[in-house]
Amino acid sequence: VYLTASPDVRAGRIACRENGTLEEKIAETEDRDLKDSARYKKIYAIDTNKYFFADLIINTDDNNENEVVDLILKAVESLQSL
């Protein structure tokens, strides 16, 4: 399972959790993404912008934690009924 969210949503969640302005958290998140991407490419040869390895990709922009869990459980249940 790979969870995604738009940069603005991610930064907003971080700002609520860690305090700070949305603008600060957007800049910090962009910087972290660049560093993480370079590190994963160098160490693991993984392009973090490609999700081919994931069996399920969920955009969490419009979902809270419980809704995301429900989506995952529904996906698992649908696989079990095959």
Side-chain angles (χ1 to χ4, degrees), residues 1-70:
V1 177
Y2 192 85
L3 305 178
T4 66
S6 67
D8 287 346
V9 169
R10 292 173 57 216
R13 290 173 179 167
I14 294 167
C16 286
R17 185 180 65 228
E18 299 177 3
N19 297 321
T21 68
L22 181 60
E23 293 77 18
E24 290 171 338
K25 297 307 173 185
I26 288 172
E28 291 171 8
T29 300
E30 288 173 353
D31 184 54
R32 179 179 175 193
D33 285 348
L34 288 173
K35 290 177 182 176
D36 287 349
S37 182
R39 183 175 67 248
Y40 276 81
K41 190 127 189 156
K42 180 180 178 181
I43 296 172
Y44 306 110
I46 293 173
D47 184 347
T48 58
N49 296 308
K50 297 181 181 177
Y51 314 123
F52 63 89
F53 56 86
D55 293 320
L56 177 62
I57 301 168
I58 300 173
N59 182 312
T60 66
D61 279 358
D62 298 319
N63 303 102
N64 65 35
E65 298 92 339
N66 293 326
E67 293 167 330
V68 171
V69 169
D70 287 342

